[in-house]
Amino acid sequence: MTNREADDLSHEQIQQLLLDSEKISEFLNTFTVNLARTISDNRNEVYCSVTLLRPKRTTPMASSHELLEDLDELQLHHGDGPCLTAARDKQVVYVPDTRTDTRWPE
């Protein structure tokens, strides 16, 4: 199988998952859990969340782990954090360890 075929297969699987979901939140929860599982390895567990940015309200929509739900709420409370920074700056924000990262002291 070529890389292109593998990419097509993953897109088809994602599309089918979306079509099979009754609610967008159901799709996003399944998507984040599967994405986190896919990019994790034996040495590093990766978490994933999705936040919906709206003009009047920012809303956490899905997460691969319950810890992220609390972290997303903290970011919304303080108005800043890695997810909000990534969305605002339109770039990936990598946080290898939230205990030692000093970018968002709150």
Side-chain angles (χ1 to χ4, degrees), residues 8-37:
D8 288 344
L9 181 62
S10 63
H11 290 122
E12 288 174 7
Q13 289 173 330
I14 292 169
Q15 180 181 11
Q16 192 60 50
L17 178 62
L18 180 57
L19 292 172
D20 290 344
S21 299
E22 290 185 30
K23 298 178 181 178
I24 190 69
S25 58
E26 179 184 311
F27 164 74
L28 289 172
N29 277 316
T30 303
F31 179 75
T32 57
V33 168
N34 285 313
L35 178 60
R37 188 178 302 133

Side-chain angles (χ1 to χ4, degrees), residues 12-72:
E12 288 174 7
Q13 289 173 330
I14 292 169
Q15 180 181 11
Q16 192 60 50
L17 178 62
L18 180 57
L19 292 172
D20 290 344
S21 299
E22 290 185 30
K23 298 178 181 178
I24 190 69
S25 58
E26 179 184 311
F27 164 74
L28 289 172
N29 277 316
T30 303
F31 179 75
T32 57
V33 168
N34 285 313
L35 178 60
R37 188 178 302 133
T38 299
I39 58 180
S40 293
D41 61 29
N42 292 336
R43 293 177 290 137
N44 297 302
E45 185 174 5
V46 176
Y47 301 137
C48 176
S49 70
V50 174
T51 299
L52 179 62
L53 302 175
R54 297 178 182 169
K56 293 185 179 184
R57 184 173 174 210
T58 300
T59 308
M61 292 295 294
S63 68
S64 64
H65 194 279
E66 60 191 33
L67 173 63
L68 288 180
E69 294 170 14
D70 295 336
L71 292 174
D72 284 342

